[in-house]
Amino acid sequence: METFKKIILGIFIIILLIVIESIILMICEGWDFFTAFYTAVVTISTVGYGDYTPKTFIGKLSIIIFIFAGVGAVAYTMSNIAEFLIEGHFKKYYRLKKMSDKLKKLQNHYIICGYGRLGRVVADELKKSGIPFVVIDKDEKLLQEAIEKDPSLICIVGDATSDDILKKAGIDRAKGLISVVTSDAENVFITLSAKKLNPNIYIVAKADDQSTLDKLIKAGADRAVCPYIVGGLEIAKIAINPDVVEFIHSLVASQEDMEIRRFVIKNYELDNKSIKDSKIREKTGATILAIKKGNKMITSPTPNTIINVGDIIYAFGTKEQLEKLRKYVEGA
């Protein structure tokens, strides 16, 4: 972008020189504007002229100065244009413009702060689920390499702790933010900034130090995760109950689009009805695993379990089934 700015500056200087010289020739030589402008353009282009020549001393002197300044300005601009094209700046500018247009269109997307090992895993999962997202990272080289591998990736080079960068990522329109930068302090700061800019955004933040988990929650994170604890628990489960874990993994892996999701019942037609009478299973194909009523969690609910508006349900099924369930329980 620096080279592009230099090109714009060079063009501005050339136009300014032509206008100034045209005005000087109009005053000193008594020419009309078009004749003066024509002479200035012909002179700066170095093609020469013979139909119009200055007669006065000031006119000739101005032409001498104009030639040196004009040729220098043209050479400066042309060299920057050459650099812009040779180094691939034009391609880069076009790609940034295209990415900027995509950013403006994003709605209900997720913002991933940090594109390290954890950030890339998060991005891959969101992409598999068809969820729109934008990545923020300070490392321009890292993002450049990522774009080469995946041209559809929408990313921003910058510091996610900056309000301007978060605004550029469309935080006011975003559904969620996932902060997985390397520093715990930055994750806390990003959480604070994000919640200030969009109080309704859902935030999941990473903490390397267990003591930071509480700070992230106080800062506004809806969920705080320590990868080492989660990883350690998973390893322990595999070691203690390998058959059970293998069964769960194989169950999900057998159908790649099988998921577990959380929904809030908003459809008043389902209020105070039993699961059996709601016909959720028949209409959507999804299976209800649990129902949360206030602080009470009902696991493995029976067909006679009553559901109410405001209840939170956890369901298992394919993406298509869960989408049907979402529309049904939300009354969409």
Side-chain angles (χ1 to χ4, degrees), residues 290-299 311-312 314:
I291 301 173
K292 187 176 182 182
K293 291 177 172 290
N295 295 323
K296 183 182 179 182
M297 180 71 76
I298 303 172
T299 56
D311 287 352
I312 297 171
Y314 296 86

Side-chain angles (χ1 to χ4, degrees), residues 41-167:
V41 171
V42 171
T43 302
I44 202 170
S45 67
T46 69
V47 299
Y49 52 83
D51 42 358
Y52 294 100
T53 55
K55 306 297 181 183
T56 65
F57 172 79
I58 297 298
K60 291 177 180 179
L61 179 63
S62 70
I63 285 292
I64 293 172
I65 297 171
F66 179 60
I67 288 173
F68 283 107
V71 170
V74 170
Y76 171 84
T77 305
M78 292 307 294
S79 65
N80 281 303
I81 290 174
E83 181 184 350
F84 188 80
L85 296 174
I86 292 170
E87 293 184 4
H89 287 289
F90 181 76
K91 181 180 178 181
K92 181 181 177 182
Y93 174 74
Y94 175 76
R95 187 158 52 196
L96 287 173
K97 180 67 172 64
K98 191 175 179 181
M99 194 173 292
S100 177
D101 293 339
K102 287 182 180 179
L103 269 170
K104 291 175 183 177
K105 294 177 182 177
L106 282 178
Q107 296 283 346
N108 292 320
H109 59 289
Y110 280 78
I111 300 171
I112 302 174
C113 302
Y115 201 60
R117 287 178 294 179
L118 196 55
R120 289 193 288 274
V121 172
V122 172
D124 288 342
E125 285 302 309
L126 291 180
K127 187 175 181 181
K128 286 177 186 176
S129 300
I131 298 172
F133 64 91
V134 56
V135 172
I136 300 175
D137 198 282
K138 298 177 185 177
D139 193 334
E140 184 176 1
K141 185 179 178 182
L142 176 67
L143 293 181
Q144 187 65 36
E145 290 173 354
I147 292 172
E148 293 297 330
K149 294 177 182 177
D150 181 12
S152 65
L153 179 68
I154 303 176
C155 58
I156 298 172
V157 178
D159 187 349
T161 61
S162 166
D163 286 1
D164 290 337
I165 293 295
L166 290 176
K167 288 176 183 177

Side-chain angles (χ1 to χ4, degrees), residues 145-316:
E145 290 173 354
I147 292 172
E148 293 297 330
K149 294 177 182 177
D150 181 12
S152 65
L153 179 68
I154 303 176
C155 58
I156 298 172
V157 178
D159 187 349
T161 61
S162 166
D163 286 1
D164 290 337
I165 293 295
L166 290 176
K167 288 176 183 177
K168 190 176 179 181
I171 192 166
D172 57 317
R173 309 183 305 273
K175 182 178 182 180
L177 180 142
I178 302 167
S179 186
V180 287
V181 297
T182 54
S183 166
D184 280 5
E186 287 186 357
N187 281 320
V188 172
F189 196 88
I190 290 168
T191 300
L192 283 167
S193 299
K195 216 65 175 180
K196 181 188 71 174
L197 296 171
N198 183 353
N200 299 318
I201 197 168
Y202 187 84
I203 298 177
V204 180
K206 180 206 76 163
D208 288 335
D209 192 331
Q210 189 175 354
S211 63
T212 309
L213 294 174
D214 186 52
K215 293 183 177 69
L216 285 167
I217 297 298
K218 288 179 179 177
D222 296 275
R223 292 288 184 275
V225 180
C226 181
Y228 301 109
I229 295 176
V230 174
L233 290 173
E234 184 68 13
I235 291 171
K237 287 178 183 178
I238 293 172
I240 297 168
N241 297 303
D243 294 335
V244 176
V245 175
E246 185 180 349
F247 168 73
I248 295 171
H249 286 179
S250 62
L251 182 64
V252 176
S254 62
Q255 299 189 49
E256 291 186 358
D257 62 346
M258 296 294 282
E259 295 179 1
I260 297 174
R261 289 191 198 172
R262 169 187 178 276
F263 303 97
V264 179
I265 296 177
K266 300 177 182 178
N267 187 352
Y268 281 90
E269 292 181 6
L270 300 176
D271 191 37
N272 210 34
K273 280 189 177 181
S274 67
I275 293 177
K276 181 181 178 181
D277 293 337
S278 69
K279 297 182 179 179
I280 286 176
R281 177 71 177 175
E282 292 88 335
K283 291 189 176 184
T284 68
T287 301
I288 296 179
L289 300 177
I291 301 173
K292 187 176 182 182
K293 291 177 172 290
N295 295 323
K296 183 182 179 182
M297 180 71 76
I298 303 172
T299 56
S300 300
T302 66
N304 296 322
T305 301
I306 301 298
I307 56 177
N308 300 99
V309 170
D311 287 352
I312 297 171
I313 62 173
Y314 296 86
F316 178 74

